[in-house]
Amino acid sequence: MNPYILAILIFTLGLGTTMTFASSHWLLAWMGLEINTMAIIPLMAQQHHPRSVEATTKYFLTQATAAAMILFASATNAWLSGEWEIQHMNHPMPTTMVTMALALKIGLAPIHFWLPEVLQGLDLTTGLILSTWQKLAPFALLLQITSTNPNLLIMLGLLSTLVGGWGGLNQTQLRKLLAYSSIAHLGWMILVMQFSPQLTILALLTYMTMTFSAFMLMKINNTTNIRSMSMTWAKNPALTMLAPLIMLSLGGLPPLTGFSPKWLILQELTKQELPMTATIAALTALLSLYFYLRISYALTLTISPNTQVNSSSWRLMTNQTSIPLSITTTMTLMLLPMTPTMLSMLTP
């Protein structure tokens, strides 16, 4: 892609998200979401491959449906209450519609079916943008309307943690695994959103850091499935050593960074007298942990001299920069002791 066009698209992505962040009016927020969608579609379709075109079409239809629902719900709210302000969503019907539309935009269960299929059809860089940056604008809107429909949010959160763990069990494609991982992590954030917004922001930032590491790892190793990833020890031994730790951090094992949001969310749910919700969420985290352990097993316990079905990759020099990966990997593995500091920075 022409670098000037690429720069314009990246700038427009940032503009759409910033517009949604800054808006208190539903029409401006909707415009920000639409600008965001329009900017990422050329990035998704740039490969000119049938699979990427199919993924782009699915993404466009999904996002257009969610945008139409948001517009209809905000117009209904204005008709019922005379207010276009995002903070003034008082009637249950438009509030429920907006919540479900935003859940569709970010891929929460039970309206998550587009996300694994779309992510599987994209290249790794665009998949990274879809998994991280594209979640920010809908989350900013969800944070502003959380107090109006608490039971719906808890149901969406629990269902997402369950589906995110269950759906990834039988996957061998890494992009689909990371899509189900995204659904599970978003479920954890939605669970605690109405009780502690700063915890949701902490969990979102932690998730974005860990997902950035995982995608950059796959990009530098040029792997998209577990089988090819199991042979990366011949090409990049140091990265192969760090990869299981990144995966286990995504799974939420102590003493890695991924443990801190899960620990704090379970603590907050218990404080809010929701022990059953906390127990179900903790049990569904074990499902997610299983498929991260599968990747860790393939990376560490299938190394030579064990017999291999496929041949080793050539150990060639890569021209890709590893600085972003090294920074995010350090954050993914070592930020647990900094949890109190991060919480105090996020607390108003």
Side-chain angles (χ1 to χ4, degrees), residues 93-115:
M93 187 182 76
T95 307
T96 305
M97 284 173 62
V98 164
T99 307
M100 293 307 289
L102 292 170
L104 177 61
K105 266 198 172 293
I106 58 177
L108 284 175
I111 37 183
H112 66 283
F113 297 101
W114 63 272
L115 183 58

Side-chain angles (χ1 to χ4, degrees), residues 14 17 34 41 46 56 65 81 93 101 116 137 141 180 215 218 281:
T17 305
E34 285 301 285
I41 279 172
Q46 66 179 321
T56 308
T65 306
S81 66
M93 187 182 76
L141 295 175
Y180 282 109
F215 270 100
M218 289 157 56

Side-chain angles (χ1 to χ4, degrees), residues 135-148:
K135 310 289 185 194
L136 292 175
F139 250 93
L141 295 175
L142 272 172
L143 278 167
Q144 295 180 68
I145 58 166
T146 48
S147 57
T148 48

Side-chain angles (χ1 to χ4, degrees), residues 170-201:
N170 207 28
Q171 300 295 335
T172 56
Q173 297 295 322
L174 292 173
R175 282 169 293 187
K176 279 193 176 181
L177 272 172
L178 286 172
Y180 282 109
S181 158
S182 171
I183 295 165
H185 278 92
L186 291 173
W188 280 86
M189 296 171 215
I190 293 292
L191 272 178
V192 81
M193 185 178 274
Q194 58 193 313
F195 306 120
S196 177
Q198 64 268 24
L199 258 187
T200 302
I201 295 168

Side-chain angles (χ1 to χ4, degrees), residues 238-251:
L239 264 186
T240 307
M241 183 182 72
L242 287 171
L245 295 174
I246 294 171
M247 292 300 157
L248 293 177
S249 184
L250 271 166

Side-chain angles (χ1 to χ4, degrees), residues 80-93:
L80 291 168
S81 66
E83 289 282 355
W84 281 95
E85 296 289 313
I86 295 173
Q87 300 282 359
H88 294 159
M89 292 286 284
N90 300 319
H91 199 279
M93 187 182 76

Side-chain angles (χ1 to χ4, degrees), residues 21-22 34 62 76 102 107 140-141 184 209 287 317-318:
F21 280 174
E34 285 301 285
T62 308
T76 308
L102 292 170
L141 295 175
T209 306
L287 291 171
M317 290 295 289
T318 177

Side-chain angles (χ1 to χ4, degrees), residues 233-274:
W233 57 268
K235 187 164 58 174
N236 208 326
L239 264 186
T240 307
M241 183 182 72
L242 287 171
L245 295 174
I246 294 171
M247 292 300 157
L248 293 177
S249 184
L250 271 166
L253 275 191
L256 305 169
T257 306
F259 175 63
S260 76
K262 284 189 167 64
W263 166 39
L264 293 167
I265 288 169
L266 289 176
Q267 188 180 21
E268 184 63 33
L269 288 174
T270 312
K271 279 183 193 171
Q272 298 294 334
E273 298 183 359
L274 292 167

